[in-house]
Amino acid sequence: MKKEDIKLWDIDRILFGQEGPAFLLEVLARTFLTYIILLFIVRWLGKRMSGQLSVLEMAVMLTLGAIVSVGMQIPDRGVLLSAAVLLFILTFQRGLAWLGFKSRKVENLTHGTLDILVMDGIMQLEAMKRCSISRQQLFAHLRTKNITNLGAVKRVYLEASGLFSIYCAEDERPGLPLYPPIDEKILNGRLNDELVSCTHCGLTCAKEPHQPHCQDCEANEWTAAIR
């Protein structure tokens, strides 16, 4: 389209584009056909596509969106072209799923692996750094499970799908408070005067007059543990 053809008062072009209002009916028909085809494709891709998506499945969904838009809106592109590409994506995804079932290396490459973020009440700082998970993000997820201190946590896994799997310890121990810093009132009466927790990793130990560096992360910032 030439620059001189662009006019702000050209209402027909703004509303209907260069194809005119008749093409809107064709777009509706194309959209209906593409939608039906897409329903079958997503159904054949399996139940995982309607649940929490992995990295591979998210890539497939984004690709599907890019494919179907061409067949629905561009007049010189047919719907069958989009359908053929959709079938290719279906075959490609099913093939990778089969290879992932046969090979653990392929599964890890296409779907990712899990990481341990908390182990026996201590944050695994290297894993959190690798996964770009901050302490406050982790604490927020733990608070949704009504966990008030890190000592109550046995394991936190960050699954390959991005979900947090949280397992509580059988015997809850004092640990690093998970309450937000602005909520000081809720800590009253729960502080432990004999134990302190490292604010960096959550390691809890006995309080000393001259508190040494943390044995786990070498930090030297402590706070009172809570029961």
Side-chain angles (χ1 to χ4, degrees), residues 117 133 137-138 141 145 156-159 162-166:
L117 302 185
I133 299 295
Q137 284 178 305
L138 175 63
H141 282 282
K145 302 298 182 182
V156 175
Y157 301 113
L158 180 62
E159 306 289 350
L163 293 174
F164 286 82
S165 296
I166 301 171

Side-chain angles (χ1 to χ4, degrees), residues 42-223:
V42 174
R43 178 65 183 86
W44 290 334
L45 284 173
K47 295 180 180 179
R48 282 283 306 160
M49 296 302 289
S50 59
Q52 183 71 27
L53 301 180
S54 67
V55 174
L56 175 63
E57 293 158 347
M58 178 64 73
V60 171
M61 290 301 292
L62 293 175
T63 305
L64 295 181
I67 292 169
V68 299
S69 62
V70 174
M72 288 189 296
Q73 301 176 34
I74 299 180
D76 58 346
R77 297 291 187 272
V79 175
L80 289 181
L81 176 62
S82 296
V85 180
L86 287 173
L87 289 174
F88 171 76
I89 293 297
L90 170 64
T91 305
F92 179 74
Q93 198 274 344
R94 281 299 184 96
L96 281 180
W98 182 81
L99 289 175
F101 179 77
K102 292 293 185 179
S103 171
R104 176 62 61 86
K105 291 183 178 179
V106 174
E107 182 182 23
N108 292 340
L109 180 64
T110 57
H111 290 82
T113 57
L114 64 80
D115 287 275
I116 303 178
L117 302 185
V118 177
M119 185 182 298
D120 295 326
I122 301 176
M123 289 179 282
Q124 306 303 298
L125 300 180
E126 288 298 324
M128 292 175 62
K129 181 180 179 180
R130 184 170 59 250
C131 299
S132 299
I133 299 295
S134 69
R135 294 176 180 81
Q136 291 306 317
Q137 284 178 305
L138 175 63
F139 294 171
H141 282 282
L142 293 175
R143 288 194 294 265
T144 61
K145 302 298 182 182
N146 295 324
I147 298 175
T148 60
N149 78 82
L150 206 58
V153 180
K154 183 175 182 63
R155 291 290 189 277
V156 175
Y157 301 113
L158 180 62
E159 306 289 350
S161 61
L163 293 174
F164 286 82
S165 296
I166 301 171
Y167 295 89
C168 295
E170 296 181 358
D171 51 336
E172 183 174 341
R173 297 163 294 178
L176 180 68
L178 300 181
Y179 294 112
I182 61 173
D183 196 0
E184 298 178 356
K185 293 183 179 180
I186 199 169
L187 293 174
N188 293 335
R190 302 196 61 183
L191 296 178
N192 192 308
D193 296 331
E194 299 177 355
L195 298 175
V196 291
S197 297
C198 174
T199 59
H200 280 254
C201 70
L203 176 70
T204 300
C205 59
K207 184 178 180 180
E208 299 182 16
H210 300 285
Q211 199 70 34
H213 287 76
C214 176
Q215 297 179 359
D216 187 77
C217 68
E218 298 298 326
N220 194 23
E221 296 182 15
W222 304 87
T223 186

